[in-house]
Amino acid sequence: MELTEAGQMAVDYFRERERQAQRFRAQLDEYRGLQRGQVTIAAGEGMVTSLVNDVLKQFLERYPGIVVDLRTGSLPELISMIREDMVDICVSIGASSDPTLNARLFQSEPLCAIFSVEHRMSSLKSVKMEDLAGERLVFMPADFGLQTLVNAMLSDIGRTYVPAFRCDLFSTAVAIAAQNLAVAFMTRRAAQERIAAGQVKAVPIDHPFARTFDRYVITRAGRRLSPAANYFLREIIRLMSIV
């Protein structure tokens, strides 16, 4: 018996379908086993160092085939990215009241004034915002969550401070503080590399607003995360939780 030309075409077609199905099953197994895939994360710039050191390093050592897309921005930009499905996970300092978002508190620590080790206030246990009158200060853009908090504290004590510097990177702000050019504001974790290097000290701010600087991990409600993104989400909560 010999196949007709149409019959041979049918056999070739089904054989190719089977090969494609086998490739798909193999790729799916790799995907489920986190051998491949992609995770897209939005994080405030002040969180990036902690995210890389505490989570990303261990994650990629275990799953080197995963591609990680890490983006930063202001708080409104971060919330917009997660709301519009531009990223899988958002790590930010504020929980949105938007019912389309799921926010979970995973870290809370005091907001600090960052002093050069040479600064006269660097050895204090805490510092009041009133104590910083006359000091050269570093402010962030107004749409940064941290600057919103700093402004709220100044409003609460009835003060208006004019900064010596404005910048949109925490790394720049802490570099300025390290040179004793001004006092910056951020958490101890955000300044941890400069603290470890013995260049700056983080002194907690004595104000009710500054005692719990909360951070949240946020996903869009109803979004089905990939296995890699779901695992990374759990690792953020497990490795970075300080509540």
Side-chain angles (χ1 to χ4, degrees):
M1 181 180 294
E2 186 174 342
L3 288 174
T4 63
E5 184 177 350
Q8 187 61 52
M9 289 174 58
V11 170
D12 292 344
Y13 170 77
F14 284 106
R15 284 175 177 170
E16 179 59 27
R17 286 287 300 273
E18 179 57 27
R19 284 193 291 269
Q20 291 177 352
Q22 290 174 354
R23 285 196 297 269
F24 173 74
R25 286 192 292 268
Q27 291 171 354
L28 190 60
D29 288 342
E30 290 180 351
Y31 176 74
R32 288 172 173 164
L34 275 65
Q35 295 179 46
R36 66 169 63 189
Q38 179 170 326
V39 182
T40 306
I41 306 159
E45 193 258 338
M47 284 291 298
V48 171
T49 298
S50 295
L51 196 62
V52 170
N53 293 344
D54 298 341
V55 184
L56 191 57
K57 186 174 185 295
Q58 293 186 44
F59 178 79
L60 291 180
E61 284 176 350
R62 186 170 183 181
Y63 302 110
I66 302 297
V67 176
V68 177
D69 183 352
L70 184 58
R71 308 178 188 182
T72 63
S74 65
L75 181 57
E77 291 170 336
L78 298 177
I79 297 300
S80 178
M81 280 188 254
I82 194 69
R83 184 183 290 124
E84 296 175 12
D85 276 343
M86 297 171 63
V87 298
D88 299 308
I89 302 165
C90 172
V91 180
S92 81
I93 66 165
S96 172
S97 59
D98 190 331
T100 66
L101 302 179
N102 290 326
R104 175 168 176 175
L105 176 67
F106 72 93
Q107 193 179 91
S108 184
E109 58 178 327
L111 182 64
C112 297
I114 307 300
F115 297 102
S116 163
V117 292
E118 300 172 359
H119 196 285
R120 60 186 177 83
M121 294 186 185
S122 65
S123 60
L124 296 177
K125 298 291 185 183
S126 64
V127 63
K128 294 180 179 293
M129 291 299 290
E130 292 90 336
D131 299 333
L132 299 177
E135 293 291 329
R136 293 168 62 84
L137 304 175
V138 185
F139 279 5
M140 308 303 285
D143 60 352
F144 275 47
L146 179 141
Q147 190 59 45
T148 300
L149 182 56
V150 170
N151 292 343
M153 289 189 292
L154 291 175
S155 176
D156 186 62
I157 64 173
R159 299 288 183 95
T160 300
Y161 294 163
V162 177
F165 297 91
R166 288 187 184 275
C167 64
D168 61 358
L169 293 174
F170 286 89
S171 55
T172 303
V174 73
I176 291 170
Q179 294 300 318
N180 204 18
L181 297 175
V183 179
F185 299 96
M186 63 190 72
T187 63
R188 186 181 303 275
R189 280 198 166 209
Q192 62 185 354
E193 289 189 348
R194 295 279 184 171
I195 294 172
Q199 298 174 349
V200 301
K201 290 189 177 180
V203 178
I205 297 173
D206 183 9
H207 189 282
F209 296 173
R211 289 171 192 161
T212 53
F213 193 68
D214 297 336
R215 293 189 174 104
Y216 295 82
V217 60
I218 303 172
T219 57
R220 184 179 64 77
R223 176 171 178 142
R224 187 179 181 85
L225 295 179
S226 69
N230 191 52
Y231 181 83
F232 199 92
L233 173 67
R234 295 199 306 270
E235 288 297 274
I236 290 174
I237 296 168
R238 184 178 73 87
L239 296 173
M240 297 184 69
S241 289
I242 302 177
V243 181

